[in-house]
């Protein structure tokens, strides 16, 4: 685990979520490798004055690393993933990638829009998952700008043509990462279309706040999700369409609870269906204009805290249930079940087939926008 000491003022600023004076974000661009077709991939590192950094690959507009201090001032990368481009290409597992056109699952790999049926790639047990077998996570994005200043920023773009993965409309997409002096990494997803379509984008970072590859995994992290209800799923992990109250169940995270407390509760059929937690929560805040809290993850051992904020109405909580020890990640770490936790803000799964859910429709002249925040801090 990479470690570094920083001064007490910087640690205190991160802990309190305040800016340090006379500090500015820095940006570093460098080659990250070449795809089989000759496309060159870049890596852009954003760093704030307190030493918090985020590294973004143009392949998949991927958040490759997020490095921050613990309560002792030691830095560690808190994201599961790979050290090199080749592993992201050869062993895709959505580690930190931008997900689209539609994050999460669409039932029976199809949906209706304006009376027409659109068939999608069935890449997950007959369902379409995360945009199909070549979603936004598996394409080369273009870095259009990268700059320092009061915040460090990189902007990436991608054009998804009409009919791409079965979706209607040519979609021009922009993803903007910004890192501020308080340790907040903001990710803004913007898209415009030339015909009606559906869009649901997120980032699929998988966190271990003890440091990726830490032997204790992430199941002892404490989680808070401000949601009175979640969307139960069928045996194929497609929402039934109901909103199920969390009260009295292992899905009640309205007050902080250790993830391990309910993840093996085989008496709950929803835990059995998901092999643990792999469910969308209907946030009490709903769809909002500015990002509001979707989840808080705390590692009592290191003191690291992650707040996830979003403008979207839902957050998918996935506890790494399908990490089965076959993937070798950063620094040769073998990733196993429970080694990381994903908190993915988004529209609800299968929304195009569930009219009662908040619509994912996007029309010409009415751009799509989702703003989410990963904010690292330290608890003393």
């Amino acid at each position: 685990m990479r470690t570094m000491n920083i001064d007490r003022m910087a640690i205190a600023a991160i802990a309190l979520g305040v800016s340090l004076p006379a500090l500015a974000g820095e940006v570093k661009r460098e080659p990250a490798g070449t795809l089989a077709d000759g496309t060159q991939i870049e890596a852009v590192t954003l760093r704030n004055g307190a030493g918090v950094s985020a590294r973004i690959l143009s392949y998949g507009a991927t958040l490759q690393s997020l490095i921050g201090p613990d309560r002792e001032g030691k830095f560690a990368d808190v994201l599961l993933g790979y050290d090199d481009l080749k592993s992201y290409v050869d062993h895709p597992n959505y580690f930190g990638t931008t997900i689209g056109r539609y994050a999460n699952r669409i039932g029976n790999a199809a949906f209706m829009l304006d009376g027409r049926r659109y068939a999608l790639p069935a890449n997950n047990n007959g369902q379409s998952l995360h945009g199909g077998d070549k979603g936004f996570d598996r394409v080369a994005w273009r870095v259009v700008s990268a700059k320092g200043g009061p915040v460090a920023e990189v902007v990436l773009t991608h054009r998804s043509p009409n009919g791409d993965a079965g979706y209607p409309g040519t979609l021009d997409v922009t993803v903007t990462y910004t890192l501020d002096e308080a340790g907040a990494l903001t990710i803004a997803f913007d898209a415009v279309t030339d015909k009606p379509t559906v869009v649901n984008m997120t980032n699929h970072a998988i966190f271990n706040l003890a440091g990726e590859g830490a032997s204790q995994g992430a199941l002892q992290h404490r989680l808070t999700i401000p949601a009175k209800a979640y969307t139960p799923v069928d045996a194929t992990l497609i929402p039934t369409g109901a909103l199920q109250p969390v009260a009295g169940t292992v899905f009640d995270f309205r007050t902080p609870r250790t993830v391990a407390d309910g993840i093996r509760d085989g008496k709950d059929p929803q835990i059995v269906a998901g092999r643990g937690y792999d469910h969308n929560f209907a946030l009490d805040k709903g769809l909002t204009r500015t990002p509001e809290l979707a989840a808080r993850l705390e590692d009592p051992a290191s003191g690291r805290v992650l707040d996830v904020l979003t403008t979207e109405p839902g957050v998918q909580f996935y506890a790494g249930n399908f990490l089965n020890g076959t993937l070798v990640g950063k620094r040769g770490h073998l990733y196993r079940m429970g080694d990381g936790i994903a908190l993915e803000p988004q529209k609800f799964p299968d929304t195009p087939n569930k009219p009662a859910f908040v619509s994912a429709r996007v029309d010409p002249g009415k751009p799509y926008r989702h703003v989410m925040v990963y904010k690292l801090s330290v608890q003393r």
Side-chain angles (χ1 to χ4, degrees):
M1 195 181 302
R2 177 177 176 265
T3 63
M4 178 189 306
N5 288 313
I6 60 175
D7 61 59
R8 293 182 181 276
M9 183 180 293
I11 297 172
I14 294 168
L16 296 171
V18 299
S19 299
L20 286 171
L23 295 178
E26 299 176 354
V27 171
K28 178 183 178 183
R29 293 176 70 165
E30 57 189 332
T34 305
L35 299 180
D37 65 1
T39 301
Q40 294 186 345
I41 300 301
E42 283 191 82
V44 180
T45 301
L46 312 179
R47 187 183 306 277
N48 73 10
V52 175
S53 69
R55 190 173 198 253
I56 295 97
L57 298 179
S58 59
Y59 181 75
T62 298
L63 180 59
Q64 185 183 20
S65 70
L66 183 61
I67 297 173
D70 66 7
R71 65 166 59 93
E72 303 300 326
K74 296 179 180 179
F75 279 74
D77 184 357
V78 298
L79 293 186
L80 275 63
Y82 300 117
D83 290 319
D84 59 277
L85 172 65
K86 187 175 186 300
S87 295
Y88 283 97
V89 174
D90 293 348
H91 306 289
N93 201 64
Y94 308 112
F95 291 131
T97 57
T98 291
I99 304 297
R101 286 190 186 190
Y102 200 92
N104 220 310
R105 296 171 175 85
I106 294 183
N108 298 315
F111 66 94
M112 298 290 295
L113 185 66
D114 294 339
R116 178 175 172 182
R117 183 179 185 272
Y118 292 92
L120 310 173
N123 63 323
N124 185 259
N125 299 321
Q127 323 300 344
S128 188
L129 175 67
H130 293 332
D133 46 13
K134 192 177 180 183
F136 290 174
D137 59 301
R138 302 188 198 184
V139 299
W141 292 62
R142 186 168 66 93
V143 177
V144 295
S145 69
K147 61 184 181 181
V151 296
E153 175 187 278
V154 60
V155 181
L156 306 99
T157 62
H158 172 61
R159 168 165 281 189
S160 176
N162 181 47
D164 187 16
Y167 290 89
T170 297
L171 199 70
D172 287 309
V173 188
T174 301
V175 176
T176 303
Y177 287 89
T178 58
L179 178 65
D180 70 17
E181 290 302 317
L185 180 70
T186 298
I187 311 174
F189 306 94
D190 293 280
V192 294
T193 183
D194 61 358
K195 64 189 296 187
T197 190
V198 295
V199 182
N200 182 32
M201 295 179 63
T202 194
N203 185 278
H204 200 287
I206 302 181
F207 292 90
N208 185 340
L209 297 182
E212 73 78 30
S215 60
Q216 65 266 40
L219 296 186
Q220 294 304 315
H221 289 12
R222 290 167 61 80
L223 178 64
T224 308
I225 301 178
K228 296 184 182 72
Y230 74 103
T231 53
V233 296
D234 63 19
T236 64
L237 300 183
I238 297 297
T240 63
L243 288 179
Q244 182 72 32
V246 301
T249 77
V250 295
F251 291 87
D252 192 347
F253 288 95
R254 290 174 294 175
T255 56
R257 276 184 44 232
T258 302
V259 172
D261 286 351
I263 200 168
R264 303 189 190 282
D265 187 354
K267 299 187 295 296
D268 191 311
Q270 286 296 304
I271 292 292
V272 174
R275 302 186 191 179
Y277 293 110
D278 191 6
H279 295 76
N280 169 71
F281 286 72
L283 298 169
D284 294 344
K285 74 176 191 64
L287 189 67
T288 50
R289 218 174 249 283
T290 57
E292 296 182 17
L293 187 68
R296 167 172 274 214
L297 193 63
E298 305 168 81
D299 176 32
S302 69
R304 291 190 185 93
V305 176
L306 175 75
D307 285 320
V308 181
L309 298 87
T310 182
T311 54
E312 292 290 61
V315 62
Q316 183 84 7
F317 166 35
Y318 167 59
N321 313 325
F322 296 94
L323 297 174
N324 59 8
T326 61
L327 295 174
V328 179
K330 295 174 181 175
R331 300 187 299 119
H333 291 143
L334 198 67
Y335 293 145
R336 309 153 305 166
M337 181 182 290
D339 276 353
I341 288 170
L343 295 161
E344 308 157 57
Q346 57 192 261
K347 297 290 195 307
F348 297 175
D350 203 33
T351 282
N353 294 313
K354 301 289 192 298
F357 290 170
V358 177
S359 176
R361 180 182 179 121
V362 179
D363 289 299
K366 297 180 179 179
Y368 168 87
R369 183 167 175 81
H370 170 206
V371 181
M372 59 178 284
V373 182
Y374 292 137
K375 187 175 188 301
L376 281 177
S377 60
V378 179
Q379 213 168 46
R380 301 303 259 157

